Amino acid sequence: MAALLLLVLAAIWLANKYSSTAPVAAESVKPQSLQDSPIEHQPAENAYTVHDMLGSEKPITATDNDGQLIIMPRPDWALDGNLLVHFSQLEQAAKQGDTEAAYVLGMNLHNCYFAPEDDTHLAERLEQAYQFNDNGVAVAENAERYDFCFGVDKQQRNQFYAYLAMAADNGYVPAQEAIALITPEQYMHAAGYAKLERNDYVAKRSSFVQQQVDFLSSAAQHGSIKALIKLSKLHYAQTVGQDGRLQAYAFNQMIMELTDDTELYNRYNWFQQRAQSVFTPEEIEQAMAMSDQWLSIIQANGTLYLHNNE
């Protein structure tokens, strides 16, 4: 009886929505450029040279500055109203080289990637929320996200990675950070690679993971503490690179040097203290040399992206 009541309420909500706002067919308003030639962005081969290997090749050349790191704010990518209202303008700006527009569009499409696609999907989400008895929070979130994404079709939503990569390829640090949060499974599904043969699937997935590391390395060398934290975790888990835990030690040291957050500093200082008994003095010296090298690059690049600065 309770489930029936919920479905009735959902039907009333949907009826009110459609009575106040005339629905727009997604296909009829899709920008012509996406109809004719959808953006496809695949991980580039060796887009960045990765410098997170101990004893690696000569680091990238950076421009000297006066020694002061400029704290860089990340743009507020959240939009008001309905995404479709903003879509064409952001798409055009992105294709003309506006990296922030590409980032904002990519982030909002990624948000819509998880939104209910139609009325049936929304009703299923509302029923699931009721079953979990979340006091209406998930119901409100699903309804709000559905309204925001209404009219943006599945093909457009799947373009989130293409726009983020467009900005990341141009060195836009917030986009490089955002790509690191995309799971390989999300990328493979959105890019249409989910049903590839096993060997091709593994190759595409590995290429994407490597690109994530490359983007993280670039972001970290421009002072992104978020990127340093992610690199530390990846290397500590020994999922990328060589000498993983020793490299994690180097990244932890950089985090401590750059953060202004006492809690974050203490957490990584604790990690460092525990590691003292694991590595030899020679290994620690090697890790510290890498840390000093990267800190010099960060200092020369002159920017700092705090981990809690949205």
Side-chain angles (χ1 to χ4, degrees):
M1 190 68 184
L4 179 61
L5 178 59
L6 176 67
L7 291 176
V8 170
L9 290 174
I12 294 173
W13 179 85
L14 289 170
N16 289 336
K17 166 183 169 55
Y18 286 106
S19 64
S20 59
T21 305
V24 182
E27 195 63 34
S28 67
V29 294
K30 185 195 299 183
Q32 187 66 32
S33 58
L34 284 185
Q35 287 181 335
D36 298 337
S37 56
I39 296 174
E40 293 184 1
H41 192 292
Q42 299 182 13
E45 294 293 333
N46 300 322
Y48 289 87
T49 301
V50 183
H51 304 287
D52 61 346
M53 301 298 180
L54 295 172
S56 65
E57 60 188 270
K58 185 177 179 181
I60 57 176
T61 301
T63 305
D64 291 335
N65 59 27
D66 61 3
Q68 297 294 321
L69 294 179
I70 301 173
I71 297 178
M72 303 293 290
R74 297 176 181 86
D76 181 6
W77 55 266
L79 299 172
D80 294 326
N82 177 270
L83 176 57
L84 202 60
V85 175
H86 308 275
F87 191 97
S88 294
Q89 182 179 356
L90 288 171
E91 179 199 32
Q92 182 178 2
K95 290 184 176 181
Q96 291 175 349
D98 187 331
T99 54
E100 183 170 330
Y103 168 74
V104 170
L105 183 54
M107 292 296 286
N108 280 282
L109 288 174
H110 189 237
N111 183 38
C112 288
Y113 179 78
F114 302 99
E117 297 174 9
D118 51 36
D119 296 348
T120 301
H121 195 191
L122 175 62
E124 292 173 355
R125 292 279 188 92
L126 294 177
E127 184 175 2
Q128 290 172 1
Y130 172 78
Q131 291 174 350
F132 282 101
N133 192 24
D134 72 334
N135 297 321
V137 175
V139 171
E141 288 180 351
N142 277 289
E144 181 179 353
R145 186 177 290 185
Y146 179 76
D147 284 344
F148 176 73
C149 302
F150 181 73
V152 180
D153 65 28
K154 185 175 181 179
Q155 181 183 8
Q156 291 169 318
R157 297 181 190 201
N158 286 347
Q159 296 297 316
F160 69 84
Y161 171 78
Y163 288 107
L164 288 175
M166 190 185 297
D169 280 338
N170 288 322
Y172 196 63
V173 171
Q176 293 173 338
E177 295 173 332
I179 283 180
L181 300 178
I182 299 171
T183 67
E185 288 69 30
Q186 288 173 12
Y187 164 74
M188 296 296 287
H189 184 269
Y193 299 142
K195 295 183 179 180
L196 289 176
E197 294 294 329
R198 185 179 186 281
N199 290 342
D200 292 336
Y201 183 95
V202 171
K204 288 287 188 183
R205 189 183 188 281
S206 298
S207 178
F208 171 71
V209 171
Q210 182 59 57
Q211 187 180 58
Q212 285 184 308
V213 175
D214 292 345
F215 281 147
L216 282 170
S217 298
S218 176
Q221 291 185 347
H222 284 81
S224 167
I225 296 179
K226 283 185 176 181
L228 289 169
I229 291 172
K230 184 68 173 181
L231 285 169
S232 174
K233 290 178 179 178
L234 288 173
H235 283 87
Y236 187 81
Q238 302 187 82
T239 57
V240 296
Q242 302 174 355
D243 300 318
R245 296 195 172 181
L246 189 58
Q247 293 202 57
Y249 186 96
F251 289 120
N252 293 349
Q253 191 65 32
M254 291 180 242
I255 294 166
M256 291 169 57
E257 292 284 347
L258 294 173
T259 187
D260 63 351
D261 186 308
T262 301
E263 182 180 350
L264 188 67
Y265 177 92
N266 290 337
R267 183 190 314 161
Y268 282 87
N269 184 50
W270 182 77
F271 292 157
Q272 298 299 76
Q273 294 299 321
R274 290 186 61 193
Q276 293 289 331
S277 62
V278 176
F279 302 121
T280 66
E282 292 75 18
E283 287 174 327
I284 291 178
E285 183 179 356
Q286 189 181 9
M288 294 299 291
M290 175 194 166
S291 174
D292 290 342
Q293 183 185 62
W294 277 50
L295 286 170
S296 295
I297 296 171
I298 293 169
Q299 190 70 42
N301 283 327
T303 54
L304 179 63
Y305 293 80
L306 299 174
H307 88 287
N308 56 356
N309 179 16
E310 299 298 339

